[in-house]
């Protein structure tokens, strides 16, 4: 079983703006292999559970509204050092601070509508992946 993977979401802003293809292209060109993927619309309950760690934050309500505002693409990405490398590829949470060439610099609208989510640890990569995918949905190389 591969352990070097991360979990990502192409968020509703990026889907609405027609960026799915360009983002997946940039992700695969950067050395990540897609091992599971689907397009879904999150329910409010799913979004609230997914972002439960932020439930005390002032931005929680707006974040949940945003995440249920349209379809998203959820995926698992395999690569050596996947979590850290993917966070580099995403760039800073606020796209105004994201390095040129990062996904958020290229595709995000704002701190909230920031185009992409990526796991912050190996543990969360597994937790978040198992939230959306069963073992049978994962196509490891
Ligand atoms: P993500 O990496 O998915 O994790 C939590 C999300 O909350 C984050 O991306 C943003 O979409 C959102 N977020 C984080 N900080 C703020 C903030 N200060 N104001 C609004 N939204 C935020």
């Amino acid at each position: 079983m591969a352990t070097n993977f991360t979990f990502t979401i192409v968020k509703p802003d990026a889907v609405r703006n027609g960026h799915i293809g360009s983002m997946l292209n940039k992700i695969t060109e950067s050395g990540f292999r897609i091992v599971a993927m689907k397009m879904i619309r999150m329910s409010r309950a799913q979004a609230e559970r997914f972002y439960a760690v932020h439930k005390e934050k002032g931005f929680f309500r707006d974040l949940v509204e945003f995440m249920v505002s349209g379809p998203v693409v959820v995926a698992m990405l395999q690569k050596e050092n996947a979590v850290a490398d993917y966070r580099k590829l995403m760039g800073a949470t606020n796209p105004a601070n994201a390095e040129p060439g990062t996904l958020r610099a290229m595709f995000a609208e704002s701190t909230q509508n920031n185009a992409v989510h990526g796991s912050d640890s190996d543990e969360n990569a597994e937790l978040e992946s198992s939230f959306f995918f069963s073992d049978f949905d994962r196509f490891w190389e």
Side-chain angles (χ1 to χ4, degrees):
M1 162 73 85
T3 53
N4 283 315
F5 69 92
T6 191
F7 171 81
T8 189
I9 305 176
V10 177
K11 295 188 181 183
D13 59 321
V15 174
R16 252 192 305 274
N17 293 331
H19 295 318
I20 296 174
S22 310
M23 288 175 68
L24 293 178
N25 196 36
K26 175 94 186 156
I27 290 165
T28 52
E29 272 178 355
S30 304
F32 294 86
R33 177 181 292 278
I34 298 167
V35 296
M37 184 164 70
K38 62 187 169 188
M39 191 171 187
I40 58 158
R41 183 150 184 180
M42 275 195 209
S43 67
R44 202 166 296 272
Q46 271 182 318
E48 286 174 353
R49 248 182 77 197
F50 187 81
Y51 281 121
V53 294
H54 297 304
K55 70 170 179 290
E56 306 305 332
K57 306 253 174 72
F59 59 78
F60 180 71
R61 277 287 126 211
D62 288 345
L63 175 61
V64 169
E65 288 308 315
F66 165 59
M67 291 304 291
V68 303
S69 69
V72 298
V73 174
V74 293
M76 289 176 65
L77 305 173
Q78 188 179 13
K79 184 183 181 297
E80 250 177 65
N81 205 32
V83 167
D85 285 1
Y86 195 66
R87 290 185 75 78
K88 246 181 260 159
L89 180 62
M90 288 196 299
T93 303
N94 179 350
N97 302 328
E99 290 286 314
T102 59
L103 292 169
R104 285 170 172 157
M106 293 169 79
F107 302 112
E109 293 178 337
S110 65
T111 298
Q112 176 185 268
N113 300 11
N114 64 357
V116 66
H117 166 83
S119 309
D120 62 7
S121 66
D122 289 345
E123 294 71 26
N124 282 336
E126 178 50 41
L127 274 174
E128 293 169 358
S129 297
S130 56
F131 196 68
F132 294 102
F133 298 107
S134 81
D135 283 349
F136 301 107
D137 300 323
R138 305 174 186 202
F139 300 93
W140 302 110
E141 283 284 315

